[in-house]
C-alpha cells in the first residue's frame, strides 16, 4: 500500500498499525521488521529526520510497533532491506558478497559481505549514491560535489534532460529512456552519459570492495538492458583488472518486494 506521507506522521503510523493488525489476524507473528528511509538509528530503532518523510523527527518506531504488537521489532534503512532481500531470496542468492544500487528519486544502496549486511560502525554505511564522479561538479545536499546521485538517479536524468533541451515540460526518467529508444538524439546522449557516470561510480565501488555481484534496481534498469550493459562496460574498462573481470553485474529480481523480504529477514535475525 502507498505510504501517503503527505497525510502526516500520525496517519501513516496508524495505517501501518492497521496493516499489521490485518496480517496478525491470519498469521502468528513472531517479530516485525521495518524498512524505513534514513537517516535512522537502527540499533535503537529511531527514525531521525528523513527528507522523504516530512514531519518525522526522532520517531521511536521500533518501540511503538514492538509495544503495540508485543513482539520484538527490527528497524533498518530501506535500501539496506532491499539489498538484504536480493541477497537472501533474489538476484544475489548465490553470491557471498553483493552491492545493490537502486536508481530511484535518489540512489539507495546496500553492501552485503559474507551474507551479512555491512552497516558500518554507526549504522550509516553504504551511502554509495554519494560516491563523487566529478570533484568540481554540482553541489550535492550531502556537502560533496558531483555525487553519482546527481547524475544517475531518476531526478538527475530528468534535470539534465531539461537543461539540455531548455524544456520546462513535465518529464520522467522513463520518458527520457523511451525517447532515447525511439531515436531522439538529445535523449540518447543523456542516457549514454548516465551510463558513463554510473560505470565510473561502479569502478570506484569495485576497486574498494571487489564484490562478487553488483545488482542494479529501479525503473531505469528495467527501461533498457542496453543502459545497464553500457555502464557495465565502462566499469570493466576503468576498475582494476582482476576484480573488474570477476565481478558480475545483473538487475534486481524481486523489484519492490526486495525491501519487504529484507525487512522480514532483519526481524528473523533478532
Ligand atoms: Zn552527495
Amino acid at each position: 500500500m502507498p505510504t501517503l506521507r503527505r497525510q502526516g506522521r500520525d496517519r501513516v503510523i496508524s495505517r501501518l498499525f492497521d496493516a499489521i493488525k490485518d496480517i496478525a489476524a491470519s498469521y502468528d507473528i513472531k517479530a516485525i521488521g521495518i524498512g524505513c528511509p534514513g537517516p535512522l538509528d537502527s540499533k535503537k530503532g529511531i527514525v531521525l529526520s528523513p527528507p522523504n518523510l516530512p514531519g518525522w523527527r526522532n520517531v521511536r518506531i521500533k518501540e511503538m510497533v514492538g509495544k503495540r504488537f508485543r513482539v520484538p521489532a527490527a528497524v533498518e534503512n530501506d535500501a539496506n532491506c532491499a539489498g538484504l532481500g536480493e541477497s537472501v531470496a533474489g538476484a544475489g542468492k548465490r553470491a557471498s558478497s553483493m552491492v545493490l544500487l537502486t536508481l530511484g528519486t535518489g540512489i539507495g544502496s546496500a553492501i552485503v559481505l559474507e551474507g551479512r549486511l555491512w552497516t558500518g560502525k554507526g549504522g550509516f554505511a553504504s551511502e554509495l549514491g554519494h560516491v563523487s564522479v566529478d570533484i568540481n561538479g554540482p553541489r550535492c545536499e550531502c556537502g560533496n560535489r558531483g555525487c553519482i546521485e546527481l547524475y544517475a538517479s531518476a531526478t538527475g536524468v530528468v534535470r539534465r534532460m531539461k537543461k539540455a533541451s531548455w524544456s520546462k515540460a513535465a518529464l520522467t526518467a522513463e520518458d527520457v529512456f523511451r525517447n532515447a529508444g525511439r531515436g531522439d538524439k538529445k535523449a540518447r546522449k543523456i542516457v549514454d552519459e548516465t551510463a558513463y557516470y554510473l560505470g565510473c561510480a561502479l569502478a570506484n565501488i569495485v576497486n574498494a570492495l571487489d564484490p562478487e555481484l553488483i545488482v542494479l534496481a529501479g525503473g531505469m534498469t528495467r527501461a533498457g538492458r542496453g543502459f545497464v550493459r553500457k555502464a557495465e562496460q565502462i566499469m570493466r574498462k576503468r576498475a582494476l583488472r582482476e576484480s573488474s573481470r570477476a565481478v558480475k553485474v545483473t538487475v534486481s529480481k524481486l523489484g519492490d518486494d526486495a525491501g519487504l523480504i529484507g525487512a522480514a529477514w532483519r526481524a528473523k535475525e533478532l
Side-chain angles (χ1 to χ4, degrees), residues 92-115:
K93 219 174 154 184
R94 281 180 192 83
S96 68
S97 56
M98 188 202 95
V99 172
L100 170 97
L101 288 186
T102 301
L103 314 179
T105 316
I107 293 187
S109 55
I111 299 171
V112 179
L113 302 175
E114 313 295 343

Side-chain angles (χ1 to χ4, degrees), residues 13-245:
I13 291 173
S14 87
R15 288 175 58 249
L16 174 70
F17 281 8
D18 288 346
I20 300 173
K21 234 178 4 192
D22 281 352
I23 297 168
S26 329
Y27 296 91
D28 179 21
I29 295 179
K30 303 274 191 228
I32 297 172
I34 304 163
C36 185
L40 49 84
D41 182 331
S42 58
K43 282 196 187 99
K44 290 185 184 150
I46 304 172
V47 182
L48 299 175
S49 53
N52 292 333
L53 291 173
W56 289 58
R57 213 183 163 81
N58 301 331
V59 178
R60 308 181 83 86
I61 190 79
K62 175 173 160 171
E63 202 179 295
M64 291 164 84
V65 171
K67 259 191 192 158
R68 171 72 180 73
F69 295 96
R70 295 165 195 267
V71 291
V75 176
E76 187 53 72
N77 175 295
D78 52 1
N80 278 348
C81 287
L84 195 56
E86 289 290 348
S87 161
V88 297
K93 219 174 154 184
R94 281 180 192 83
S96 68
S97 56
M98 188 202 95
V99 172
L100 170 97
L101 288 186
T102 301
L103 314 179
T105 316
I107 293 187
S109 55
I111 299 171
V112 179
L113 302 175
E114 313 295 343
R116 295 190 73 85
L117 207 52
W118 175 255
T119 54
K121 182 171 170 288
F124 301 107
S126 83
E127 289 292 345
L128 300 175
H130 299 285
V131 165
S132 177
V133 288
D134 181 1
I135 56 169
N136 297 314
R139 194 176 286 281
C140 176
E141 276 178 37
C142 75
N144 203 347
R145 280 182 181 273
C147 295
I148 183 61
E149 179 164 291
L150 298 172
Y151 300 92
S153 63
T155 321
V157 168
V158 168
R159 180 182 55 78
R160 284 166 39 243
M161 185 71 232
K162 283 187 169 179
K163 201 175 162 200
S165 58
W166 301 84
S167 166
K168 286 202 168 65
L171 193 71
T172 65
E174 274 79 11
D175 295 334
V176 178
F177 274 75
R178 198 178 315 114
N179 293 341
R182 285 181 188 152
D184 179 316
K185 276 196 182 132
K186 274 183 187 160
R188 181 79 258 159
K189 189 163 174 264
I190 296 290
V191 169
D192 285 349
E193 265 175 28
T194 306
Y196 182 77
Y197 282 118
L198 180 61
C200 293
L202 292 180
N204 289 334
I205 293 164
V206 166
N207 284 344
L209 296 170
D210 183 22
E212 188 177 333
L213 177 73
I214 292 172
V215 180
L216 298 173
M220 294 200 298
T221 59
R222 287 191 290 270
R225 190 66 190 129
F227 164 71
V228 172
R229 223 175 296 132
K230 175 129 202 225
E232 183 183 342
Q233 279 168 4
I234 304 288
M235 176 277 289
R236 289 196 201 281
K237 249 188 226 163
R238 291 192 162 230
L240 290 170
R241 204 169 51 173
E242 286 70 23
S243 42
S244 75
R245 267 189 194 160

